[in-house]
């Protein structure tokens, strides 16, 4: 529940915005938006051409009408006369007065007072459903609620992919309810399917927004119709135009998403397509080693994640009109924003504002497992700006803003769609803390089977006790330095040819500094900070026995995926987030001739807070016994 102080703050900020808007005799020029494809070395606030500035209008359809006239002359993609479905979840969820947006529901969300139950959503899977305390649990929607112009493409995808028909329908039906959805175990092969279905949902949402605004503009253009209509009938907008934010790790990911979006709109003319292909693909003449290598050379997940342009600094605005899709549109005239956490964070830090995120109604976080390998604080920062009252008016027509935007309640209606290959505490924390949808949220539950490793390897899982999560970091370090590591030095076999694998960079830095003070230990380092020369020297020194130990970080293995030789002993400072890393590292000793399973040892240090990581290694059936000791 909003406190009196927070309510006064929202009121004050809105009055300020209204005053600024009223005092401006002409349309206010917003702060210039940086060109989205400039490399970090160039200025973010590159000046735009005058034609682009002149084309800017507020969050209404006058700009869209103008663009429609400039189209390719083909059939209109958006039919504003298509009748609205009475039970359409879009109309209910994002209407001027959503019935689910009650004071009790908001208070329950703020207190994290959720009522949990289990539901099945067909091929999507069994879900842990949470709704605010006191909120009625709606039955599953049975319709897809796609606009007529989007249906042929979706139906064609069912014909082309007959084995995926059920999950495509169930997924679209699930997200059409506008509840939050969190997929905790997304198979790499299913990414394309999810992108296409979510793209259809996103465009469906945008086109319904534009259709409603166009209808209201037509009515307002007739003074007679406007006078006979209730004023609340024209509440159809947010503070700014962008309504969809898609956060991705790499430019290659953005390319896949834009491809999926364009597939849903085959009749649209696409502006700046060649520029997009150039900026979001690998440079001309560059060999794509991951794709051209013989099958089996690289793990499938590495090929899927790291092929293409893996630059993690980008921002892209996409504007959807009746007949065209414009890539590289200014953020404030865009419907969709695709960006990496780094790209948005740098812009937010420079501008000290992110008003373009104030009216986001659909948030998509894809490849969250990959985002955990980047700077997680960038993603957390984005949530501090989402659905906040903007600092400037941006030519907003306040007479048409939906009341719940003005009340500062937009975050309670935003739909969040989260996709990850595996779950981590950071992702679960984001799900628990930042998803406030009063319609509810669904977390798809998934079981894990145990990881297969070479038979005969001695695996020793070592549990240490800790009082709470806050003390776990220090107690892990204390156990490692006082008990586990000294036991390695006492063994002539385990004190050499040993790899110490560390998932957390913070833990890695701490162990590295500690090892430097151990006079009897020689070690080399492989971290994400290592350059190619350092990597080559470290690998050779360890393989030749010049260094007894090798300290390896999980991020290094994620980005490089080198096969390491000379390993006889593996020590996991904590279980890896990626379960496949465990089996891969245990297979590397056998790259050397004559190595037998009994020659290899493995120690895994863990606590009860490593439940998620352990489950992916030993399996859902066995993890309980391991955690209980």
């Amino acid at each position: 529940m909003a406190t009196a102080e927070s309510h006064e703050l929202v009121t004050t900020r809105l009055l300020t915005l209204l005053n600024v808007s009223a005092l401006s005799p002409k349309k206010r020029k917003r702060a210039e938006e940086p060109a989205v494809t400039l490399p970090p070395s160039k200025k973010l606030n590159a000046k735009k051409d005058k034609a682009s500035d002149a084309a800017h209008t507020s969050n209404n359809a006058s700009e869209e009408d103008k663009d429609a006239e400039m189209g390719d002359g083909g059939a209109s993609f958006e039919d504003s006369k298509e009748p609205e479905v009475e039970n359409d979840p879009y109309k209910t969820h994002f209407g001027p007065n959503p019935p689910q947006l009650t004071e009790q529901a908001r208070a329950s969300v703020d207190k994290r007072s959720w009522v949990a139950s289990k539901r099945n959503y067909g091929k999507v899977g069994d879900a842990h459903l949470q709704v605010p305390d006191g909120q009625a649990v709606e039955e599953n929607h049975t319709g897809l609620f796609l606009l007529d112009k989007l249906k042929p493409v979706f139906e064609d995808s069912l014909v082309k992919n007959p084995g995926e028909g059920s999950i495509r329908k169930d997924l679209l039906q699930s997200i059409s309810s506008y509840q939050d959805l969190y997929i905790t175990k997304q198979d790499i092969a299913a990414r394309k399917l999810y992108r296409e279905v979510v793209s259809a949902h996103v465009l469906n949402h945008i086109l319904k927004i534009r259709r409603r605004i166009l209808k209201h503009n037509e009515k307002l253009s007739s003074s007679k119709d406007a006078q006979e209509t209730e004023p609340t009938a024209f509440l159809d907008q947010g503070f700014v135009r962008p309504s969809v934010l898609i956060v991705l790790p790499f430019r290659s990911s953005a390319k896949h998403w834009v491809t999926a979006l364009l597939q849903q709109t085959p009749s649209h003319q696409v502006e700046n397509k060649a520029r997009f292909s150039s900026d979001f693909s690998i440079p001309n003449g560059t060999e794509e080693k991951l794709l051209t290598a013989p099958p089996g050379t690289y793990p499938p997940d590495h090929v899927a994640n790291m092929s293409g342009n893996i630059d993690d600094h980008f921002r892209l605005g996409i504007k959807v009109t009746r007949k065209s899709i414009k890539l590289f549109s200014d953020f404030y005239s865009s419907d969709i924003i695709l960006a990496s956490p780094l790209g948005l964070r740098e812009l937010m830090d420079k501008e000290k504002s992110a008003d373009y995120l104030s009216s986001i109604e659909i948030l998509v976080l894809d490849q969250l497992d990959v985002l955990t390998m980047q700077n997680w604080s960038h993603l957390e920062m984005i949530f501090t700006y989402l659905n906040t009252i903007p600092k400037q008016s941006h030519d907003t027509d306040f007479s048409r803003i939906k009341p719940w935007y003005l009340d500062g309640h937009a975050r309670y209606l935003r739909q969040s769609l989260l996709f990850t290959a595996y779950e981590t505490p950071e992702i679960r924390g984001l799900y628990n803390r930042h998803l406030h949808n009063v319609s509810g949220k669904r977390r798809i539950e998934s079981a894990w089977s145990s990881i297969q490793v070479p038979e005969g390897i001695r695996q020793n899982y070592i549990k240490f006790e800790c009082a709470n999560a806050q003390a776990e970091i220090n107690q892990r370090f204390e156990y490692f330095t006082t008990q586990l590591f000294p036991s390695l030095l006492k063994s002539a076999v385990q004190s050499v040819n040993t790899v110490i694998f560390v998932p957390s960079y913070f833990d890695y830095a701490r162990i590295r500094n500690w090892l430097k003070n151990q006079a009897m230990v020689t070690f080399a380092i492989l971290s994400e900070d290592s350059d190619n020369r350092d990597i080559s020297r470290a690998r050779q020194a360890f393989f030749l026995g010049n260094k007894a130990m090798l300290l390896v970080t999980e991020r290094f293995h994620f980005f490089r995926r080198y096969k390491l030789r000379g390993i006889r002993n593996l020590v996991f400072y904590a279980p890896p987030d990626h379960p496949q890393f465990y089996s891969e590292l245990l297979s590397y000793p056998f790259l050397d001739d004559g190595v037998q399973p009994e020659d290899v040892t493995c120690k895994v240090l863990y606590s009860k807070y490593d439940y998620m990581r352990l489950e992916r290694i030993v399996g859902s059936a066995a993890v309980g016994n391991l955690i209980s000791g």
Side-chain angles (χ1 to χ4, degrees):
M1 183 186 300
T3 64
E5 291 182 359
S6 63
H7 182 72
E8 291 177 2
L9 178 61
V10 170
T11 303
T12 302
R13 293 181 66 181
L14 283 172
L15 288 174
T16 302
L17 283 172
L18 286 168
N19 289 334
V20 169
S21 181
L23 289 172
S24 178
K26 298 180 180 180
K27 286 188 177 180
R28 173 181 298 273
K29 284 189 178 182
R30 66 185 175 280
E32 292 177 328
E33 180 69 25
V36 294
T37 56
L38 290 179
S41 60
K42 295 185 180 180
K43 290 185 178 180
L44 285 174
N45 281 352
K47 187 174 182 180
K48 299 184 296 297
D49 57 80
K50 294 181 180 179
S52 175
D53 283 337
H56 169 66
T57 62
S58 61
N59 185 27
N60 57 36
S62 60
E63 185 180 48
E64 185 162 325
D65 293 336
K66 192 176 297 184
D67 287 336
E69 297 173 1
M70 297 170 60
D72 58 2
S76 172
F77 184 82
E78 179 188 39
D79 184 3
S80 62
K81 298 181 180 180
E82 183 178 334
E84 294 186 1
V85 180
E86 193 62 31
N87 64 337
D88 189 346
Y90 164 78
K91 184 178 180 181
T92 303
H93 191 86
F94 289 108
N97 298 293
Q100 72 275 24
L101 189 62
T102 63
E103 184 177 353
Q104 180 182 359
R106 298 196 309 273
S108 298
V109 169
D110 291 341
K111 296 176 182 177
R112 298 187 189 177
S113 179
W114 301 87
V115 177
S117 61
K118 290 189 177 182
R119 294 292 183 93
N120 178 267
Y121 295 98
K123 292 294 184 179
V124 178
D126 295 327
H128 182 79
L129 172 65
Q130 293 177 283
V131 296
D133 190 11
Q135 190 81 288
V137 180
E138 295 186 7
E139 296 299 324
N140 294 349
H141 292 283
T142 56
L144 300 179
F145 303 102
L146 282 178
L147 290 171
D148 288 344
K149 295 298 182 180
L150 285 171
K151 287 179 181 178
V153 176
F154 183 77
E155 291 171 351
D156 186 53
S157 71
L158 302 181
V159 175
K160 292 181 179 178
N161 306 279
E164 302 173 351
S166 296
I167 188 172
R168 285 177 180 266
K169 289 181 179 179
D170 291 344
L171 177 60
L172 181 58
Q173 181 175 300
S174 178
I175 60 180
S176 294
S177 68
Y178 283 105
Q179 288 184 328
D180 295 341
L181 180 65
Y182 174 24
I183 303 294
T184 61
K185 186 183 178 183
Q186 184 188 55
D187 187 79
I188 293 173
R191 281 182 185 170
K192 182 175 182 291
L193 181 157
Y194 278 75
R195 281 195 298 263
E196 292 175 355
V197 175
V198 175
S199 294
H201 173 64
V202 163
L203 286 171
N204 193 51
H205 179 81
I206 292 170
L207 292 173
K208 286 180 179 179
I209 294 175
R210 308 316 301 171
R211 179 183 65 171
R212 178 164 293 189
I213 291 176
L214 284 174
K215 280 187 174 182
H216 291 170
N217 284 352
E218 292 174 4
K219 290 183 178 180
L220 288 169
S221 64
S222 170
S223 59
K224 180 180 178 181
D225 290 345
Q227 292 174 358
E228 295 177 353
T229 308
E230 287 290 331
T232 56
F234 301 116
L235 301 177
D236 53 12
Q237 299 178 19
F239 291 111
V240 293
R241 178 164 178 162
S243 60
V244 177
L245 173 65
I246 303 176
V247 181
L248 307 165
F250 302 127
R251 285 179 181 260
S252 58
S253 309
K255 185 178 180 182
H256 290 312
W257 270 93
V258 171
T259 300
L261 286 164
L262 297 182
Q263 286 176 349
Q264 311 300 320
T265 56
S267 62
H268 268 46
Q269 177 183 349
V270 182
E271 299 182 36
N272 300 321
K273 190 174 182 179
R275 176 186 171 190
F276 173 79
S277 179
S278 174
D279 288 357
F280 284 78
S281 302
I282 60 175
N284 290 333
T286 303
E287 181 184 1
E288 183 55 271
K289 295 181 180 180
L290 295 180
L291 297 178
T292 58
T297 303
Y298 300 99
D301 67 295
H302 188 62
V303 175
N305 289 329
M306 305 304 294
S307 58
N309 188 332
I310 57 171
D311 176 25
D312 64 349
H313 181 274
F314 65 91
R315 299 180 294 271
L316 176 69
I318 301 178
K319 175 182 174 183
V320 182
T321 65
R322 287 182 173 184
K323 296 181 180 181
S324 68
I325 291 181
K326 182 178 181 179
L327 306 177
F328 300 99
S329 58
D330 176 82
F331 274 10
Y332 289 99
S333 62
S334 300
D335 296 289
I336 305 172
I337 295 175
L338 283 87
S340 65
L342 176 61
L344 277 184
R345 175 64 182 270
E346 187 177 44
L347 179 60
M348 291 185 294
D349 288 344
K350 185 175 182 65
E351 303 294 338
K352 307 299 181 185
S353 172
D355 289 353
Y356 44 82
L357 300 182
S358 62
S359 303
I360 296 299
E361 295 180 349
I362 298 180
L363 168 68
V364 180
L365 303 180
D366 194 23
Q367 293 179 261
L368 274 164
D369 52 301
V370 179
L371 291 175
T372 61
M373 296 293 165
Q374 298 176 353
N375 193 325
W376 189 256
S377 65
H378 296 339
L379 186 59
E380 292 278 359
M381 179 62 73
I382 293 173
F383 277 92
T384 65
Y385 284 97
L386 273 175
N387 301 121
T388 56
I389 303 296
K391 295 182 178 180
Q392 298 183 30
S393 64
H394 301 286
D395 298 317
T396 302
D397 184 354
F398 283 88
S399 67
R400 294 180 67 173
I401 295 182
K402 298 173 186 178
W404 41 270
Y405 273 113
L406 298 172
D407 293 336
H409 295 158
R411 68 188 182 112
Y412 296 108
L413 293 173
R414 183 190 70 236
Q415 181 187 35
S416 301
L417 305 175
L418 282 58
F419 304 100
T420 180
Y422 55 80
E423 193 174 19
T424 69
E426 293 84 0
I427 302 175
R428 178 68 72 88
L430 184 150
Y431 172 83
N432 290 335
R433 295 194 309 273
H434 296 302
L435 272 58
H436 307 102
N437 194 340
V438 291
S439 290
K441 52 186 180 181
R442 309 169 181 177
R443 175 169 52 84
I444 303 300
E445 299 178 333
S446 301
W448 291 85
S449 57
S450 61
I451 289 293
Q452 300 299 312
V453 300
E455 187 176 354
I457 293 179
R458 291 172 287 171
Q459 301 176 70
N460 185 11
Y461 289 85
I462 305 170
K463 182 182 179 182
F464 69 95
E465 299 295 338
C466 54
N468 52 64
Q470 289 71 29
E472 194 251 12
I473 295 177
N474 290 330
Q475 291 181 349
R476 185 188 298 270
F477 180 74
E478 181 181 359
Y479 191 96
F480 176 82
T481 56
T482 61
Q483 298 189 52
L484 196 156
F485 193 82
S487 70
L488 298 177
L489 297 182
K490 292 178 181 179
S491 170
V493 174
Q494 297 183 29
S495 60
V496 294
N497 304 114
T498 299
V499 163
I500 302 174
F501 186 88
V502 187
S504 164
Y505 184 87
F506 172 80
D507 290 332
Y508 150 74
R510 195 175 189 183
I511 294 170
R512 177 198 60 196
N513 295 337
W514 181 80
L515 286 174
K516 288 180 179 179
N517 295 323
Q518 308 306 306
M520 303 298 295
V521 178
T522 60
F523 69 99
I525 293 172
L526 292 177
S527 76
E528 55 267 43
D529 297 330
S530 304
D531 58 28
N532 290 335
R533 180 177 295 181
D534 292 336
I535 293 171
S536 178
R537 289 175 176 175
R539 293 177 68 190
Q540 185 176 22
F542 179 74
F543 175 67
L544 296 177
N546 297 330
K547 299 292 184 180
M549 296 184 178
L550 184 64
L551 191 60
V552 181
T553 67
E554 183 161 10
R555 286 186 181 181
F556 169 83
H557 191 63
F558 174 82
F559 286 106
R560 299 283 188 162
R561 222 52 169 261
Y562 285 132
K563 295 180 179 179
L564 306 176
R565 299 185 61 184
I567 302 175
R568 297 298 179 270
N569 309 290
L570 275 161
V571 176
F572 290 89
Y573 185 79
D577 274 319
H578 198 307
Q580 188 172 331
F581 293 178
Y582 184 79
S583 59
E584 286 178 8
L585 288 165
L586 285 177
S587 71
Y588 291 164
F590 304 99
L591 296 173
D592 303 326
D593 296 335
V595 176
Q596 300 299 318
E598 55 268 21
D599 300 331
V600 181
T601 67
C602 174
K603 297 180 185 293
V604 182
L605 186 62
Y606 75 96
S607 74
K608 61 183 178 182
Y609 298 106
D610 291 320
Y611 184 97
M612 292 180 181
R613 293 170 170 173
L614 285 172
E615 182 184 20
R616 296 191 286 269
I617 295 175
V618 303
S620 301
V623 66
N625 292 333
L626 200 60
I627 290 296
S628 64

